[in-house]
């Protein structure tokens, strides 16, 4: 299953962006979805996930309280609302199907797509 992330851009520190994760030909409601990000030269890290039944979510400490993951099953979309963005949030963001628990997130699919670039800079 390949998903497509979108919604990135250039934003000033303290600003907000909402990333979207879309799929074609598959219902996202049946999958746990994770958001991951990668900075050049570093490993991709899982930052958040939402369970297939919406009852489970996870955030890494560095984004907790600033990012919110949600899903709209009617639109077949998963979102990542990012508030109070910091320069260290600059990365390429990806979404994919995931193993999700309240303790962490792992990628289930290794099909990453193009991702979407988020740049936080003044």
């Amino acid at each position: 299953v390949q998903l497509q992330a979108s919604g990135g851009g250039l934003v000033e520190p303290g600003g907000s962006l909402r990333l979207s994760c879309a799929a074609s030909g598959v219902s996202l409601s049946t999958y746990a979805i994770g958001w991951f990000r990668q900075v050049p030269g570093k490993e991709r890290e899982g930052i958040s996930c939402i369970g297939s039944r919406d009852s489970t979510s996870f955030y890494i400490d560095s984004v907790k309280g600033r990012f919110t993951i949600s899903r709209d099953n009617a639109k077949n979309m998963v979102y990542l609302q990012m508030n109070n963005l910091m320069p260290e949030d600059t990365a390429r963001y990806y979404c994919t199907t995931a193993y999700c628990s309240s303790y962490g997130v792992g990628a289930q699919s290794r099909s990453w797509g193009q991702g979407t670039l988020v740049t936080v800079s003044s």
Side-chain angles (χ1 to χ4, degrees), residues 48-109:
S48 181
C49 64
I50 187 167
S52 60
R53 292 180 173 80
D54 228 8
S55 59
T56 299
S57 63
F58 166 80
Y59 302 91
I60 59 171
D61 286 347
S62 61
V63 308
K64 204 172 289 184
R66 300 187 298 121
F67 291 11
T68 303
I69 192 169
S70 63
R71 60 164 78 234
D72 185 336
N73 290 334
K75 295 183 178 179
N76 204 30
M77 298 285 284
V78 172
Y79 303 103
L80 186 68
Q81 178 68 43
M82 307 188 297
N83 298 328
N84 191 23
L85 282 160
M86 303 177 182
E88 48 264 44
D89 295 317
T90 295
R92 185 166 292 275
Y93 286 70
Y94 304 84
C95 60
T96 192
T97 58
Y99 301 106
C100 181
S101 77
S102 56
Y103 302 102
V105 55
Q108 181 182 47
S109 169

Side-chain angles (χ1 to χ4, degrees), residues 2-61:
Q2 181 165 313
L3 309 181
Q4 184 58 52
S6 63
L10 173 63
V11 63
E12 292 186 349
S16 298
L17 284 173
R18 188 178 77 160
L19 304 185
S20 299
C21 179
S24 58
V26 62
S27 174
L28 290 182
S29 65
T30 60
Y31 294 94
I33 303 297
W35 283 97
F36 300 77
R37 66 185 181 188
Q38 188 171 25
V39 175
K42 293 189 176 181
E43 288 193 2
R44 187 178 284 122
E45 68 171 344
I47 62 170
S48 181
C49 64
I50 187 167
S52 60
R53 292 180 173 80
D54 228 8
S55 59
T56 299
S57 63
F58 166 80
Y59 302 91
I60 59 171
D61 286 347

